[in-house]
Amino acid sequence: MEKSDYNQTNMGTPQGAEAKVFARENFCLCTISPLLANIALDQMETDLIEHLRSLKGWKTKIGTTTVGVDINKKTKKSYKLRKNLKIDLVRYADDFVILHEDKEVIEESRRFIGKWLEIRGLTLSEEKTKIVHSTEGFDFLGHHIRHYENRIKGTYRLKLLNGTPTEQRRAKATHVLRVEPTKEKIKLHYREISDTIWKLKAATPNEVIKTLQPKITGWANYYKTVHSSEAFSKLDHFLWKRLYQWACRRHPNKGKRWVADKYFCTVNGRKWTFAEIVGKGKDRKIVKYLKGYSKHKERTGSYARVGYDRSYYDGDTAYWAERLSKGYGNITPYKAKMLKRQDGICPVCKCRFGNEDLSEAHHIHPRHLGGEDTYTNLVLVHLHCHDKIHRENPGIRGKKVDHISKDLQGYWDNGMAPDYLRKEVFSPTSTDTVLSLGGGAGRIITPASDSKPPTDTSTVLRTGKDAGIITPASGNNKET
């Protein structure tokens, strides 16, 4: 539709393509295929289960659809789920998979869904639709899902059999489920990274890191919750080889050791980390380094599943805000870390973060006043709360802070302030303050203290209006 005029299309929207939508004078560009698929394939699972249960003698094969309540032993929280349902249909847009132990049920499901789609003008792709056993494995959304034979043997198996109930079940299981990135996705991603490095032949290390880091982080975050340790280790090795070739190409007349010292370093115990390094010897400093794939890995099974009856648009903001406070959601890892520390609460307005809320990282001790860009000096606040802080507390470059504002006092009370603020160590601001550099070196003397300024020939450094003036100690401030 363009300017209220409807134009007939000759073909449908291709899968994964971007559709252009015109609304009067406004132009919108969006990926509309997933939305159309969700509209067309809604109620597929419900209709399939009702059909299978209606067949004679199949109720015991399919199970009941009643929703029960399960209580997590660790968190003591309740979740709704279908306990006795023996068939699973997992769908994401137009990709779906049906799981059942009986092949006859799978074949009947395929036949029914084929007819169900014909009513809506759709058809199943014969090339992509397959019936396989779980031991053969299948690909779904870039993951390879497969049951492998349990290879736990020997003394380790005996140890598990004498352990907790979970360890005993693990030892007795005949097969183990493994979800890992597909080989095709690994190859495509490595090819993309390799091509990107090739295009950056003349770039600086800083530019290479800025270009590669978003690609690496995005791909690693997608696969970090599954069995991806082997894939991450392989990609880290390939990435190092490619970056080492890039570095050697820039300096063909230098030795390999010189190239390694210039572009690679050890960060947090990990050797051969690509970084931007300045200075030499004692002045050597790491400005920025590339975070590899393995640094993004999470413990398998640590991600909490979404409740059976939950939807992102169900209006239950309390449930989704609670998940957000645990670090689950479409947020960056560094914001998730701060949300966990703050229990999902903004320390300024004392309200929980919602899914649609805009957040901003705030430096408790301003950077232009010496604050560090570390987690101990950062707190996550709403965007409008961040604007409020800087509007009511405008920073003056170069001026020392002699007190804590009301907002910062709140962070301090909540234990979110850096260590040096907790110890109440602040810069002196009185014009009568002197720091003895002679016989009384290290003593800060103020009018409020019992000590008196040194009267000998020691040198003193004055602060305040006379900051930076080093003179012999004198009891009269006017003489300086």
Side-chain angles (χ1 to χ4, degrees):
M1 182 176 289
E2 183 177 3
K3 295 183 179 180
S4 302
D5 295 333
Y6 179 77
N7 300 314
Q8 183 67 35
T9 57
N10 298 324
M11 60 181 297
T13 304
Q15 181 181 11
E18 293 181 339
K20 299 179 181 179
V21 182
F22 294 89
R24 293 188 179 181
E25 301 301 328
N26 297 329
F27 175 77
C28 176
L29 184 65
C30 60
T31 305
I32 201 171
S33 297
L35 174 62
L36 297 176
N38 285 326
I39 295 173
L41 302 181
D42 192 28
Q43 293 294 316
M44 176 192 288
E45 180 183 8
T46 304
D47 294 344
L48 174 63
I49 294 173
E50 290 179 356
H51 166 72
L52 295 176
R53 282 179 53 83
S54 65
L55 299 178
K56 186 177 180 180
W58 279 39
K59 285 187 177 180
T60 55
K61 289 184 179 181
I62 307 305
T64 59
T65 58
T66 55
V67 179
V69 178
D70 187 23
I71 299 177
N72 191 301
K73 295 181 180 179
K74 293 183 179 180
T75 61
K76 306 299 181 183
K77 295 180 181 179
S78 59
Y79 297 91
K80 291 183 179 180
L81 71 161
R82 291 170 169 173
K83 287 186 176 181
N84 300 320
L85 189 63
K86 300 179 182 179
I87 186 172
D88 288 317
L89 189 151
V90 183
R91 183 177 65 85
Y92 184 86
D94 59 342
D95 295 327
F96 61 91
V97 59
I98 302 174
L99 306 173
H100 195 272
E101 60 184 7
D102 194 341
K103 186 177 180 180
E104 185 181 3
V105 175
I106 299 296
E107 292 176 346
E108 177 61 25
S109 301
R110 179 177 181 176
R111 186 192 64 80
F112 171 78
I113 290 178
K115 291 184 177 181
W116 189 86
L117 291 175
E118 287 180 2
I119 300 174
R120 291 155 179 79
L122 302 172
T123 57
L124 279 174
S125 174
E126 296 296 334
E127 297 179 358
K128 298 181 180 179
T129 306
K130 299 178 182 179
I131 298 178
V132 297
H133 196 270
S134 61
T135 55
E136 300 176 24
F138 62 94
D139 296 340
F140 184 61
L141 301 178
H143 297 82
H144 184 70
I145 306 169
R146 184 176 177 181
H147 265 121
Y148 290 89
E149 184 180 353
N150 193 353
R151 297 182 178 179
I152 298 177
K153 298 179 182 179
T155 56
Y156 182 58
R157 186 173 185 274
L158 294 176
K159 180 181 178 181
L160 294 180
L161 289 173
N162 296 325
T164 62
T166 303
E167 293 176 343
Q168 293 176 10
R169 288 193 297 269
R170 182 185 173 192
K172 295 178 182 179
T174 58
H175 290 78
V176 178
L177 180 65
R178 186 176 178 87
V179 183
E180 54 193 354
T182 61
K183 295 181 179 180
E184 291 75 14
K185 293 295 182 180
I186 296 175
K187 291 179 181 178
L188 288 174
H189 177 68
Y190 172 67
R191 177 53 54 193
E192 180 186 1
I193 294 296
S194 181
D195 293 343
T196 302
I197 296 175
W198 176 257
K199 294 177 182 178
L200 298 173
K201 294 189 293 291
T204 62
N206 191 11
E207 293 173 347
V208 173
I209 295 173
K210 284 184 177 180
T211 306
L212 293 181
Q213 192 65 79
K215 298 178 183 294
I216 294 173
T217 302
W219 196 89
N221 284 339
Y222 183 73
Y223 291 104
K224 67 181 181 180
T225 56
V226 299
H227 299 85
S228 54
S229 297
E230 295 178 4
F232 284 1
S233 298
K234 185 181 295 184
L235 286 171
D236 278 335
H237 177 66
F238 289 157
L239 179 64
W240 167 79
K241 288 182 65 177
R242 196 66 187 85
L243 290 173
Y244 188 68
Q245 292 174 358
W246 174 89
C248 291
R249 186 184 182 280
R250 288 174 62 89
H251 307 280
N253 298 326
K254 296 291 185 178
K256 294 182 178 180
R257 185 179 295 276
W258 185 93
V259 173
D261 291 339
K262 182 173 178 61
Y263 293 103
F264 296 91
C265 60
T266 301
V267 179
N268 298 327
R270 186 177 181 84
K271 299 180 180 180
W272 290 97
T273 301
F274 183 78
E276 180 188 6
I277 305 172
V278 296
K280 296 180 180 179
K282 296 181 179 180
D283 298 331
R284 182 183 172 91
K285 183 180 179 182
I286 301 173
V287 179
K288 198 170 186 178
Y289 67 91
L290 186 65
K291 187 178 179 181
Y293 295 88
S294 299
K295 289 294 183 180
H296 298 82
K297 186 72 181 76
E298 287 187 1
R299 184 172 58 87
T300 305
S302 61
Y303 195 87
R305 64 180 179 180
V306 178
Y308 156 74
D309 59 339
R310 300 297 183 181
S311 171
Y312 190 81
Y313 303 101
D314 58 4
D316 192 354
T317 56
Y319 173 80
W320 294 103
E322 183 180 3
R323 281 186 59 86
L324 200 67
S325 66
K326 304 299 182 183
Y328 305 134
N330 188 21
I331 54 176
T332 56
Y334 90 97
K335 287 186 177 181
K337 184 174 182 178
M338 287 187 283
L339 278 175
K340 291 179 184 178
R341 184 183 61 184
Q342 300 170 203
D343 196 23
I345 298 175
C346 174
V348 178
C349 62
K350 309 301 181 184
C351 297
R352 279 195 175 276
F353 283 92
N355 293 315
E356 305 298 334
D357 293 344
L358 300 177
S359 58
E360 186 73 20
H362 172 68
H363 291 84
I364 300 174
H365 189 60
R367 294 192 66 184
H368 68 273
L369 296 180
E372 297 180 355
D373 191 20
T374 59
Y375 280 112
T376 55
N377 192 38
L378 284 171
V379 65
L380 197 67
V381 298
H382 290 105
L383 184 60
H384 58 274
C385 294
H386 192 241
D387 295 338
K388 175 186 175 183
I389 293 174
H390 288 282
R391 183 172 61 252
E392 296 180 355
N393 302 278
I396 302 175
R397 187 172 295 277
K399 183 179 179 180
K400 296 295 182 182
V401 180
D402 61 340
H403 68 282
I404 301 180
S405 64
K406 294 181 179 179
D407 292 314
L408 296 182
Q409 183 69 44
Y411 308 152
W412 195 12
D413 295 340
N414 292 334
M416 297 177 186
D419 293 336
Y420 58 84
L421 285 183
R422 295 194 188 101
K423 297 176 183 177
E424 300 185 21
V425 180
F426 301 102
S427 301
T429 55
S430 171
T431 56
D432 294 329
T433 303
V434 294
L435 175 62
S436 176
L437 302 181
R443 292 188 296 133
I444 298 179
I445 304 170
T446 64
S449 64
D450 297 334
S451 303
K452 296 182 179 180
T455 56
D456 55 9
T457 57
S458 345
T459 305
V460 295
L461 170 65
R462 300 194 175 275
T463 60
K465 294 182 180 179
D466 300 327
I469 301 177
I470 301 177
T471 62
S474 172
N476 187 1
N477 291 328
K478 294 182 180 180
E479 293 181 2
T480 59

